[in-house]
Amino acid sequence: MDDDFIGFVRNRGPALGRTAYLLTGDAGRAEDLVQSALLAVWLRRGKVEPAGWEAYTRRTMINLSCSWWRRRASGERPVATIPDQPSREGMAPTDAADERARLVMALRRLPARQRAAVVLRHYEDLSEAETARQLGCTVGTIKSLTSRGLDRLRLLMADPADGPPPDGVARRGPRSSQDAYGQTGEAR
Amino acid sequence: MNETNDLARLLRAAATDMPDNPFRAEEVRTRVGQHHRRQRRTVLVAGLAAVAVGAVAVVFGLGLGDDSGPTTIVPAKTSTATPPSAPPTTTPPAPTTTAPPPQDGRVHLFGGVSLIPPKGWTVSASGESGDMQVCLVPPVSQYADLPCDGGIELQSGSVVGQEGAPFQAHQPWGWYQGSGQAPCPTPPADGVNGAVNEIWPGAAPASGDPESAGGPSLVEQSAWTVNGYTGAYDKWAAHCNNGFTFYPRSWYLPDVPFQVLDAVGHPDADAQLLATIKVGSDESRRMFFDDGVSLIPPKGWTVLWAVFNPRSGTLAPHGRWACLVPGTAFAYRSDASCSGILIEVGTVTGHAGQPFQAHQDDGWSADAGPVGCPRRPPNANSDGSDPVVSGAPGDTRTDVRAPIEQGPRTLAGQTAVYDMWVAHCADDDYTFYPRSWYLPRIPFRVLDYSGNPTVTDALLATIKIS
């Protein structure tokens, strides 16, 4: 790799890592996501100007984080209830670390595209139109994804240990997988 | 508003919990090295295979070098300077389907389609799968910001159309695969970098107002025939804010499915290219998996066939999973799991992500496998999850998650474990019957999630295990 690209990785890597962390909810997967995206950019460096490396990396991270093939291959397993959640009992509601942890765990329980829409809109501060371009869908879909994602986040943040299923159907069998990734047929 | 601001603040705070990795650059450098080594190994393996095939051909007089053989499949990348990044552990295609790059530069795509790029044009893979999405790039491109640098895109096996939906003949805006604000192939009239120069359907209106109605979007449509296959030709008109009008054109064969898409317009190149297209026999559409498994996907079905390998940072070869969905079904791969027929080789996932076992309760419902109702009910949930419930409506069995039918079945000459379950959509009681054929020795499984008995039976008949 040339010095320019190494410099880019060193300078922008931490910021990319933070976005990846919110997209994956896991530091290990976030690091893998960043490095995978950086490798993709490096392999296409002949077609991407250095000024576009960061945007290309972010776009690649989003695509990869939403790919169910990738989630499957990386061993990411959706579960109905995220383990190791910190108990709210006895904890002060103002405990900042607990609040952050609950947010990340709640993010992990969102479907990938809802999660990406929330992160792009409310962490990256992208407009609805730009978020739509990043996720390859319409602005209307972004509105829907973000709205559903925020609603679900609020529910999960309020009651993380036993967040209600999104559709009011009792969990049984297939629901465990749908809770995490069961978004099909979304409006486009 | 305050609540949204609180969320943004909390997201920023939570993001800081990501530890910095001071060795990230070095680790990426290592991945680059691994990638290059894998490419070299692949070239070596491909070279050895070609030598072996050549030797067999010499001994048995098979006559290599004839590019007209319709059963020859060479991944597009193999015909160009960049070889595929398949690790050598992948079982290569059977020798009769491997050949050295032909002398005339013929590019062989997934699905048995082959063609010769226009003279002077270069070939590059545009997507995740080297022989399913291929770009033909002109020697000089005026529109380098467009997909394929403004050249011609070839899609085979999976053809994406308007706003990411499966392409269909005569689809309005069928040439535009993205969504949201479409970037125009020319810069904005005022020349300001970064300004959005949106695309509108139809030719530029005489009024000069780009947002007023221009001409129709779809301006020409007809049948297109090649090698006995009948498809569709479409020509659209589109214009930009700055008045630039252009005419994307598509030639589409639904049976493969396959598409030539020229978004900006290269009429001479199109003519050269179209004259060289050949479509092979059914056998030339055979897909090869790890461990000697191969099959021929149903005609006209979309093939989703790409797996990311987190260890190498690259897309894994087409060896372990494939999802086959009807051509017009919703096939957007980001959130939709395999709503059609899932092929798994090497690792077979059962209920809730556990290893699959014969006759497993809800063994059809894997973690990232089939989820959601296979037929979206008219009164679908607002969150789009369309929940599925095990068992038939009003099922009185003690264990509604257990298979309703099970037993041995013959698959490719071997005894497979067969299971059939029943489930229904909670919203409208639509009942469906997932079926599974499982060979634990490999392991290998075909899972027909939503119930396509005729198609699945035909597919099973094509399976070979060498």
Side-chain angles (χ1 to χ4, degrees):
Chain A
M1 291 197 302
D2 59 34
D3 291 344
D4 285 350
F5 194 76
I6 291 173
F8 162 69
V9 174
R10 290 195 172 133
N11 290 333
R12 301 306 304 155
L16 292 166
R18 288 193 287 272
T19 302
Y21 181 60
L22 296 180
L23 289 172
T24 61
D26 178 272
R29 290 201 183 98
E31 186 61 38
D32 178 56
L33 183 65
V34 174
Q35 292 191 18
S36 301
L38 289 169
L39 174 66
V41 175
W42 168 254
L43 294 175
R44 290 161 184 77
R45 65 196 180 285
K47 293 190 172 183
V48 183
E49 292 295 321
W53 283 348
E54 182 164 354
Y56 195 100
T57 309
R58 288 183 188 279
R59 177 71 184 263
T60 305
M61 287 192 329
I62 292 159
N63 287 341
L64 294 177
S65 72
C66 289
S67 157
W68 74 268
W69 290 109
R70 177 189 169 81
R71 294 202 304 270
R72 181 187 188 115
S74 68
E76 185 175 344
R77 300 298 184 207
V79 291
T81 303
I82 301 291
D84 302 321
Q85 297 185 55
S87 167
R88 299 180 70 205
E89 210 170 301
M91 277 198 170
T94 53
D95 186 316
D98 175 47
E99 195 177 31
R100 294 198 306 271
R102 280 193 290 123
L103 174 67
V104 170
M105 287 169 187
L107 276 173
R108 285 175 63 180
R109 293 186 64 185
L110 294 186
R113 283 165 66 81
Q114 277 185 15
R115 193 188 320 162
V118 167
V119 170
L120 291 178
R121 289 283 291 124
H122 295 287
Y123 176 70
E124 295 282 356
D125 275 340
L126 298 187
S127 66
E128 287 178 337
E130 182 54 28
T131 305
R133 285 169 64 94
Q134 294 276 328
L135 281 174
C137 60
T138 62
V139 169
T141 301
I142 290 302
K143 290 178 192 291
S144 165
L145 286 171
T146 311
S147 168
R148 289 177 194 165
L150 291 178
D151 287 348
R152 187 96 200 279
L153 267 184
R154 287 186 196 104
L155 283 174
L156 292 167
M157 291 283 287
D159 194 359
D162 191 25
D167 49 17
V169 174
R171 278 198 192 94
R172 52 187 297 189
R175 289 302 316 153
S176 62
S177 57
Q178 288 173 357
D179 282 348
Y181 299 130
Q183 291 294 297
T184 60
E186 73 184 27
R188 292 192 60 78
Chain B
M1 178 59 75
N2 284 340
E3 195 178 4
T4 306
N5 288 341
D6 284 348
L7 175 68
R9 174 191 57 76
L10 195 52
L11 283 167
R12 291 193 184 93
T16 61
D17 287 343
M18 173 70 185
D20 189 25
N21 176 5
F23 306 108
R24 185 176 287 124
E26 288 69 25
E27 290 171 4
V28 173
R29 192 205 309 260
T30 302
R31 287 187 180 214
V32 169
Q34 289 170 343
H35 177 84
H36 289 157
R37 281 194 295 278
R38 198 164 35 252
Q39 279 191 320
R40 283 195 291 272
R41 281 200 301 267
T42 305
V43 170
L44 179 62
V45 169
L48 290 173
V51 168
V53 172
V56 170
V58 167
V59 171
F60 295 101
L62 296 180
L64 277 181
D66 176 9
D67 77 288
S68 63
T71 60
T72 302
I73 300 172
V74 179
K77 280 185 175 177
T78 308
S79 293
T80 66
T82 310
S85 56
T89 52
T90 304
T91 304
T96 53
T97 60
T98 307
Q103 297 299 312
D104 63 359
R106 179 166 288 274
V107 173
H108 295 257
L109 301 170
F110 178 86
V113 178
S114 71
L115 44 79
I116 301 176
K119 281 183 183 170
W121 287 47
T122 54
V123 182
S124 66
S126 70
E128 299 164 337
S129 178
D131 58 353
M132 297 176 80
Q133 288 175 283
V134 170
C135 281
L136 304 180
V137 182
V140 178
S141 175
Q142 294 175 269
Y143 312 113
D145 287 340
L146 287 181
C148 293
D149 289 346
I152 297 171
E153 182 174 6
L154 310 172
Q155 298 184 77
S156 198
S158 173
V159 179
V160 179
Q162 180 182 10
E163 297 214 346
F167 182 83
Q168 295 180 49
H170 319 316
Q171 195 176 43
W173 281 73
W175 64 276
Y176 187 65
Q177 300 159 0
S179 62
Q181 292 174 318
C184 188
T186 59
D190 59 9
V192 178
N193 286 334
V196 174
N197 190 15
E198 284 192 73
I199 296 176
W200 303 89
S207 68
D209 174 8
E211 297 189 37
S212 66
S217 171
L218 189 61
V219 295
E220 281 180 27
Q221 53 181 291
S222 63
W224 173 54
T225 304
V226 57
N227 277 182
Y229 285 81
T230 300
Y233 163 74
D234 286 305
K235 178 179 177 180
W236 298 268
H239 69 278
C240 310
N241 279 346
N242 65 3
F244 175 75
T245 297
F246 59 104
Y247 298 92
R249 301 200 297 169
S250 153
W251 293 263
Y252 173 62
L253 293 178
D255 274 357
V256 177
F258 166 75
Q259 184 191 43
V260 175
L261 178 65
D262 181 2
V264 186
H266 303 277
D268 293 342
D270 292 339
Q272 281 185 49
L273 180 70
L274 295 172
T276 70
I277 293 177
K278 293 179 180 176
V279 183
S281 64
D282 276 353
E283 189 60 30
S284 71
R285 298 190 299 112
R286 181 166 290 278
M287 299 166 60
F288 293 87
F289 294 82
D290 286 355
D291 299 318
V293 176
S294 70
L295 53 83
I296 300 174
K299 267 189 181 175
W301 279 45
T302 292
V303 176
L304 305 178
W305 201 13
V307 182
F308 195 86
N309 183 338
R311 289 181 180 277
S312 64
T314 61
L315 284 155
H318 304 161
R320 299 174 70 84
W321 291 285
C323 175
L324 314 176
V325 291
T328 55
F330 186 81
Y332 194 73
R333 59 175 88 179
S334 289
D335 267 351
S337 295
C338 186
S339 55
I341 301 173
L342 179 68
I343 313 294
E344 295 175 286
V345 179
T347 302
V348 176
T349 308
H351 175 60
Q354 300 301 310
F356 178 73
Q357 294 174 6
H359 318 315
Q360 189 178 46
D361 279 4
D362 276 341
W364 58 277
S365 174
D367 53 346
V371 292
C373 184
R375 188 188 73 171
R376 187 130 208 244
N379 58 341
N381 273 289
S382 60
D383 72 354
S385 58
D386 310 333
V388 169
V389 179
S390 301
D395 205 324
T396 56
R397 289 179 296 149
T398 309
D399 182 3
V400 296
R401 300 162 60 212
I404 59 171
E405 220 180 273
Q406 54 183 264
R409 292 284 192 281
T410 300
L411 180 65
Q414 302 189 23
T415 302
V417 176
Y418 170 78
D419 286 299
M420 181 168 84
W421 298 265
V422 59
H424 68 280
C425 304
D427 287 343
D428 65 352
D429 285 351
Y430 173 72
T431 305
F432 60 102
Y433 300 88
R435 298 189 300 164
S436 152
W437 292 259
Y438 174 54
L439 286 173
R441 185 182 60 80
I442 294 178
F444 163 57
R445 180 165 80 151
V446 176
L447 175 66
D448 175 12
Y449 166 55
S450 54
N452 302 277
T454 308
V455 172
T456 306
D457 290 348
L459 172 74
L460 294 173
T462 72
I463 293 176
K464 291 181 181 174
I465 301 170
S466 59

